[in-house]
Every structure is written in C-alpha cells, then in structure tokens.
Amino acid sequence: MIAFNNLNKAFESRIRLGVMSILLVNDWVEFATLKEMLNLTDGNLASHITALEKLNYLQVRKQFIGKKPNTSYAVTQAGRKAFNDHLNALEQLIKAREG
Amino acid sequence: MIAFNNLNKAFESRIRLGVMSILLVNDWVEFATLKEMLNLTDGNLASHITALEKLNYLQVRKQFIGKKPNTSYAVTQAGRKAFNDHLNALEQLIKAREG
C-alpha cells in the first residue's frame, strides 16, 4: 500500500483539494474567486486556507485596489511539491483499480 | 469545478480511500488483513468501516473459523458505484493539473 502511505493528510478535505487544484494552475487567485469557484462560505474557505498557510503550502498577498482590500493566494514551492506528491499517490490508487 | 463537486465526502479520509481501494479489487477481506495492509489500530479501522457500512457501501460477514470469530468485508454494489464515481472525479482533478 505504498500509494496509501503517500497520501497527504493535509489534502484529505475536498475543499483543500479544490483550493490546491486551482492554485496549481493559476498564479495569485483572489479569495472571492476561490470562494465562488468552490461555492463556499467565507468562514469555511478561510479556515482551510489558514491551515494550508500554516503548513507553508500557500502564500498570501494583501493589497488595496483603490480603497478596497484585496487578498490573493498562490502556492509556495513546498505546496506545489506536496500537492503533486499527493496527486501522484492518488494516481497510483486509481491505477490500482484497473488491475 | 465539476470534478470538485463530484468528490464524495464519505471518501475524504485516507483510511477510507485505502479500505475501498482494497475492497474494490478483492472479494471479502478479513478485518485483520485490512488492518495489517493499512497499518491501523483496531479502533481506527473499525470506526471508518462502521461509517462506510452505515452508508451501505460495505457489507459485513461474520462467521466462525473453528472457534475463532472471523469478520470479513466486501463492497456493495452501491459502494462500488460511489467509489468509482469518486475515483473518476479525482482522475479529472489530476488531469486538470496537466492542463
């Protein structure tokens, strides 16, 4: 069960899978965009983002656009590596199904 | 984010992914075998199996081998379908990485 052991607990949640998938292929995505793409509440998204930030998988950029605060996120190099490892492990798990 | 919405919350946990992956390709697997393959404690494995049973994704068979009780599990048809749908959604998510 190599694939199983290589799954990363940090990415178990569907929401984190969603966030990381979006950020893997997009540079700097706004909070509001993530929220809309994943159809989440502020609180739910924020708590998962905070967890991923603490793990150093995400970086945050806060700025003002005019007078409006604007927060965006990007994956870190560590986050990209960890998530790719996780997807590779999932890929192995899926392949196992096909025999 | 079609793939994201098709992910099944019941299979978020690594342990459940592991259990279902094993049962998808093996008929009737003993509790002790699952425990060993996934390197889990009794309690941890039991709680996830109970959850999957309640969802009607697993069926249980209790018998005696000599005087020893023996419990085995198999996926139900509903479990097979649900888990395959989940793996298909994960597959889409993985493909998205490749652009």
Side-chain angles (χ1 to χ4, degrees):
Chain A
M1 292 305 295
I2 289 166
F4 171 76
N5 287 319
N6 289 341
L7 292 172
N8 188 334
K9 247 186 113 53
F11 302 128
E12 280 190 334
S13 131
R14 275 178 346 136
I15 294 171
R16 296 190 196 175
L17 280 175
V19 168
M20 293 300 293
S21 295
I22 292 169
L23 294 178
L24 205 62
V25 292
N26 298 281
D27 267 354
W28 296 111
V29 179
E30 290 179 27
F31 185 89
T33 307
L34 285 174
K35 189 185 145 183
E36 199 186 336
M37 287 179 84
L38 298 169
N39 194 25
L40 298 171
T41 61
D42 279 14
N44 201 354
L45 177 57
S47 74
H48 286 288
I49 281 182
T50 302
L52 293 169
E53 244 189 286
K54 276 187 188 157
L55 290 162
N56 189 32
Y57 290 165
L58 292 191
Q59 52 191 314
V60 57
R61 184 177 67 189
K62 289 176 198 239
Q63 56 186 6
F64 279 83
I65 295 181
K67 286 188 179 175
K68 252 184 118 179
N70 180 282
T71 306
S72 299
Y73 300 92
V75 281
T76 59
Q77 213 173 339
R80 183 175 297 276
K81 183 181 180 321
F83 192 59
N84 270 319
D85 288 349
H86 183 72
L87 292 184
N88 290 338
L90 285 174
E91 210 165 27
Q92 279 186 51
L93 205 102
I94 292 167
K95 274 191 197 139
R97 145 173 82 161
E98 287 138 21
Chain B
M1 293 305 295
I2 289 167
F4 171 76
N5 287 319
N6 289 342
L7 292 172
N8 187 335
K9 247 187 111 54
F11 303 128
E12 280 190 333
S13 132
R14 278 179 341 140
I15 294 171
R16 295 191 196 173
L17 280 175
V19 169
M20 293 300 294
S21 295
I22 292 169
L23 294 178
L24 205 62
V25 291
N26 297 282
D27 267 355
W28 296 109
V29 179
E30 288 179 27
F31 185 89
T33 307
L34 284 174
K35 188 185 143 182
E36 198 186 337
M37 287 180 84
L38 298 169
N39 194 25
L40 297 172
T41 61
D42 279 14
N44 200 354
L45 177 56
S47 74
H48 286 288
I49 281 182
T50 302
L52 292 169
E53 242 190 289
K54 276 188 186 156
L55 290 162
N56 189 33
Y57 290 165
L58 292 191
Q59 52 191 315
V60 56
R61 184 177 67 189
K62 290 177 197 237
Q63 57 187 4
F64 278 83
I65 295 181
K67 286 187 181 177
K68 252 184 118 179
N70 180 282
T71 307
S72 298
Y73 301 91
V75 282
T76 59
Q77 212 173 341
R80 182 176 297 276
K81 183 183 179 320
F83 193 59
N84 269 318
D85 287 349
H86 184 72
L87 293 184
N88 290 338
L90 285 174
E91 209 165 26
Q92 279 186 52
L93 206 101
I94 292 167
K95 273 190 197 141
R97 147 173 81 160
E98 287 138 21

